[in-house]
């Protein structure tokens, strides 16, 4: 597959690194030689020093034969314009990163598709969705709804109160501090909560957020009605902007530093169930979450954009890690696949992928039972949705046409699963 990426910034560089490991034919375009040099020396990709809005550069990069053209520079106008140009000369699919929520409103999708932009991504909105979804359950690290919640994946850290420690299943034994992913139907969520020993976790009602950037704004606009939020922002002008943007009595904007212990005490940190750190600095976010945990907050969420800090944040027991570039890359990644696939997610802390595939009448998965399929080592079917109802899967399950199948991939490329669903 030929893929062209415009913009050697955070998302573009991360995508190039990710896709180069899958032996894809990748061209990375950027108008800054230094950014290109920083990535080309370590990865097997072709770089081109040029403007993504140069028609000549797009032709030289091979946009006419490109299966996927991805524009992820900081300039949304440049991204959209270059996608229109790439599509006009033959690119099969195009995706542009934007910085404005209005562009990704569902009713605008057909308009942009007519222009030549197949998909728009707004990373801040994607991250906000994950944050809000995670806050709904104080006892999970990660929550992922499949097909509107017909199935739910829960990522849970096991501790000493867990009832199923040291219990084997297959070749595995669950150990304390393992991060375990459960796939369940909604009615069994309370049962899972019980066996992992999390019934004593108080539900989240009071939330503190540090950092009033665009991700925080999108999260606030999607907070459940039963949650009250105190947002701490150190910049006075930004506070004024936030007050104008967020007309909600449940939200209080405070001018201050979320690392200030006196301020945290004054604002009721001891009656807060969740602390979310969303500044642009990973170290600040990690330290702030550690401080909140020492002051009794169980649920902490940290934005960690520098991937080098992710493992450190996990080892320090920061609850949920949010990385916009990884989230955006997951959404773009699904566009590479020929099979009908949606909702691809990269589980950073587990180094695994999970996705929803749709089985068609001629799909190989409909011809045999699950245990007879010969799935690649490292791939597991976690569940399926049939006629809107979630079902768990065993070796004897027969997948049918129209089923939405949830597949986990650990150390195996998602492309290897495509042949089972085409």
């Amino acid at each position: 597959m030929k893929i062209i990426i415009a913009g050697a910034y955070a998302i573009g560089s991360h995508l190039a690194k990710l896709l180069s490991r899958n032996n894809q034919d990748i061209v990375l375009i950027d108008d800054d030689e230094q950014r290109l040099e920083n990535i080309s020396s370590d990865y097997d990709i072709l770089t081109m020093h040029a403007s993504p809005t140069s028609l000549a550069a797009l032709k030289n990069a091979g946009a006419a034969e490109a299966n996927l053209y991805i524009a992820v520079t900081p300039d949304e106008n440049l991204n959209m314009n270059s996608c229109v140009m790439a599509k006009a000369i033959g690119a099969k699919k195009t995706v542009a990163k934007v910085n404005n929520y209005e562009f990704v409103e569902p009713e605008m999708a057909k308009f942009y598709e007519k222009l030549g932009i197949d998909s728009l991504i707004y990373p801040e909105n994607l991250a906000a969705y994950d944050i809000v979804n995670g806050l709904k359950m104080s006892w999970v690290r990660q929550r992922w709804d499949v097909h509107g919640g017909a199935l739910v994946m829960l990522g849970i850290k096991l501790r000493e109160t867990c009832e199923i420690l040291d219990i084997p299943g297959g070749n595995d034994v669950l150990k304390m501090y393992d991060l375990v992913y459960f796939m369940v139907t909604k009615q069994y969520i309370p049962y899972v909560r019980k066996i992992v020993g999390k019934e004593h976790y108080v539900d989240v009602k009071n939330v503190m957020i540090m950092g009033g950037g665009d991700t925080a704004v999108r999260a606030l606009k999607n907070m459940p009605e039963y949650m009250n939020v105190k947002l701490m922002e150190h910049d006075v002008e930004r506070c004024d902007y936030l007050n104008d943007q967020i007309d909600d009595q449940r939200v209080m904007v405070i001018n201050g530093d979320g690392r200030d212990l006196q301020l945290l005490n004054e604002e009721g940190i001891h009656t807060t169930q969740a602390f979310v750190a969303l500044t642009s600095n990973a170290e600040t976010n990690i330290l702030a979450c550690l401080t909140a945990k020492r002051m009794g907050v169980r649920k902490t969420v940290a934005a960690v954009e520098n991937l080098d800090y992710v493992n450190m944040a996990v080892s320090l027991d920061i609850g949920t890690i949010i990385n916009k570039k990884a989230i955006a890359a997951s959404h773009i990644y699904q566009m590479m696949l020929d099979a009908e696939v949606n909702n691809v997610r990269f589980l950073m802390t587990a180094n695994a992928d999970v996705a929803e595939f749709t089985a068609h009448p001629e799909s190989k998965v409909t011809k045999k039972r699950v245990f007879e399929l010969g799935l690649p080592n490292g791939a597991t079917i976690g569940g399926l949705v049939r006629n809107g109802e979630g079902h768990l899967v065993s070796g004897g399950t027969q997948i049918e046409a129209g089923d939405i199948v949830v597949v986990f991939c650990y150390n195996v490329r998602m492309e290897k699963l495509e042949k089972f669903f085409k």
Side-chain angles (χ1 to χ4, degrees):
M1 177 177 283
K2 185 172 184 62
I3 301 168
I4 300 174
I5 302 172
Y9 295 84
I11 295 175
S13 298
H14 181 67
L15 267 174
K17 293 174 183 178
L18 178 69
L19 300 178
S20 67
R21 295 169 185 158
N22 294 345
N23 300 316
Q24 304 291 347
D25 179 8
I26 302 168
V27 180
L28 179 62
I29 304 174
D30 198 281
D31 57 8
D32 187 295
E33 285 188 289
Q34 185 60 52
R35 282 196 295 268
L36 293 173
E37 288 176 6
N38 290 340
I39 186 171
S40 62
S41 58
D42 296 324
Y43 296 91
D44 185 20
I45 58 174
L46 177 65
T47 60
M48 180 177 291
H49 179 221
S51 169
T53 53
S54 164
L55 186 59
L58 293 178
K59 289 180 177 178
N60 290 336
E65 299 83 36
N67 301 92
L68 183 59
Y69 181 86
I70 306 163
V72 284
T73 77
D75 187 336
E76 64 185 1
N77 293 319
L78 185 153
N79 294 339
M80 290 191 285
N81 289 336
S82 67
C83 279
V84 171
M85 294 169 66
K87 189 77 169 187
I89 62 176
K92 290 183 177 63
K93 291 181 181 178
T94 61
V95 56
K97 182 181 81 72
V98 296
N99 309 319
N100 190 328
Y101 178 73
E102 292 178 354
F103 289 131
V104 295
E105 293 280 11
E107 60 267 24
M108 298 299 292
K110 288 186 178 179
F111 168 74
Y112 287 110
E113 192 172 344
K114 288 179 181 178
L115 292 179
I117 307 171
D118 295 299
S119 181
L120 291 167
I121 59 165
Y122 180 34
E124 287 74 14
N125 195 52
L126 299 176
Y129 175 84
D130 279 5
I131 291 167
V132 173
N133 215 24
L135 290 177
K136 291 175 183 176
M137 291 182 177
S138 61
W139 50 282
V140 305
R141 292 294 178 95
Q142 190 171 7
R143 170 180 168 165
W144 185 64
D145 289 351
V146 178
H147 204 64
L151 287 171
V152 181
M153 185 192 74
L154 305 173
I156 302 171
K157 187 75 169 283
L158 303 185
R159 300 193 183 277
E160 60 276 359
T161 54
C162 178
E163 296 177 8
I164 54 176
L165 291 178
D166 301 316
I167 295 177
N171 296 320
D172 300 313
V173 175
L174 299 177
K175 294 292 186 182
M176 194 183 303
Y177 306 128
D178 282 353
L179 180 59
V180 180
Y181 291 89
F182 294 83
M183 180 63 70
V184 298
T185 52
K186 276 189 174 178
Q187 64 264 36
Y188 285 102
I189 291 177
Y191 173 73
V192 171
R193 185 173 188 173
K194 175 182 180 298
I195 63 174
V196 297
K198 303 283 187 177
E199 289 180 300
H200 61 289
Y201 277 60
V202 179
D203 291 337
V204 174
K205 293 184 179 179
N206 298 317
V207 182
M208 281 190 182
I209 298 178
M210 181 177 76
D214 291 340
T215 302
V217 172
R218 296 313 315 164
L220 288 169
K221 287 184 178 293
N222 290 282
M223 283 284 179
E225 292 184 358
Y226 60 85
M227 289 186 188
N228 298 304
V229 184
K230 291 184 177 180
L231 173 62
M232 299 181 179
E233 167 58 46
H234 67 86
D235 185 270
V236 175
E237 291 184 5
R238 184 67 182 180
C239 286
D240 292 338
Y241 170 81
L242 292 168
N243 279 316
D244 291 337
Q245 286 291 309
I246 303 162
D247 184 18
D248 191 330
Q249 292 184 345
R250 298 170 302 139
V251 178
M252 178 186 296
V253 178
I254 300 166
N255 178 223
D257 189 334
R259 296 167 296 178
D260 185 330
L261 299 183
Q262 182 177 342
L263 178 62
L264 290 175
N265 279 310
E266 289 173 356
E267 297 301 334
I269 189 71
H270 297 293
T271 58
T272 296
Q273 292 84 41
F275 185 90
V276 184
L278 300 177
T279 77
S280 58
N281 187 286
E283 298 99 315
T284 297
N285 294 338
I286 292 169
L287 289 172
C289 284
L290 288 174
T291 300
K293 287 181 80 72
R294 284 201 304 269
M295 300 179 80
V297 180
R298 282 195 180 274
K299 179 80 174 182
T300 57
V301 180
V304 182
E305 288 307 303
N306 187 335
L307 290 172
D308 295 333
Y309 287 106
V310 170
N311 288 335
M312 180 182 73
V314 172
S315 68
L316 292 172
D317 208 22
I318 302 300
T320 301
I321 309 300
I322 296 293
N323 184 283
K324 287 184 293 186
K325 70 179 76 169
I327 296 170
S330 293
H331 281 257
I332 295 170
Y333 185 70
Q334 73 186 48
M335 298 185 68
M336 294 170 45
L337 305 172
D338 292 331
E340 187 177 344
V341 59
N342 293 289
N343 224 353
V344 175
R345 292 296 176 96
F346 176 55
L347 308 177
M348 264 191 312
T349 53
N351 193 29
D353 298 297
V354 59
E356 301 174 22
F357 282 90
T358 300
H360 295 285
E362 298 305 315
S363 297
K364 289 183 180 179
V365 291
T366 64
K367 308 302 182 186
K368 299 178 181 178
R369 289 175 293 178
V370 169
F371 82 95
E372 300 170 315
L373 291 173
L375 296 173
N377 187 33
T380 302
I381 294 178
L384 61 83
V385 179
R386 180 176 296 161
N387 299 323
E389 185 177 347
H391 302 271
L392 299 186
V393 169
S394 66
T397 299
Q398 178 67 57
I399 295 171
E400 299 177 3
D403 288 350
I404 295 167
V405 183
V406 182
V407 181
F408 292 84
C409 293
Y410 174 71
N411 282 340
V412 58
R413 298 203 307 268
M414 195 73 72
E415 294 95 315
K416 288 192 174 182
L417 275 297
E418 282 188 285
K419 64 181 181 180
F420 293 92
F421 291 91
K422 287 183 180 178

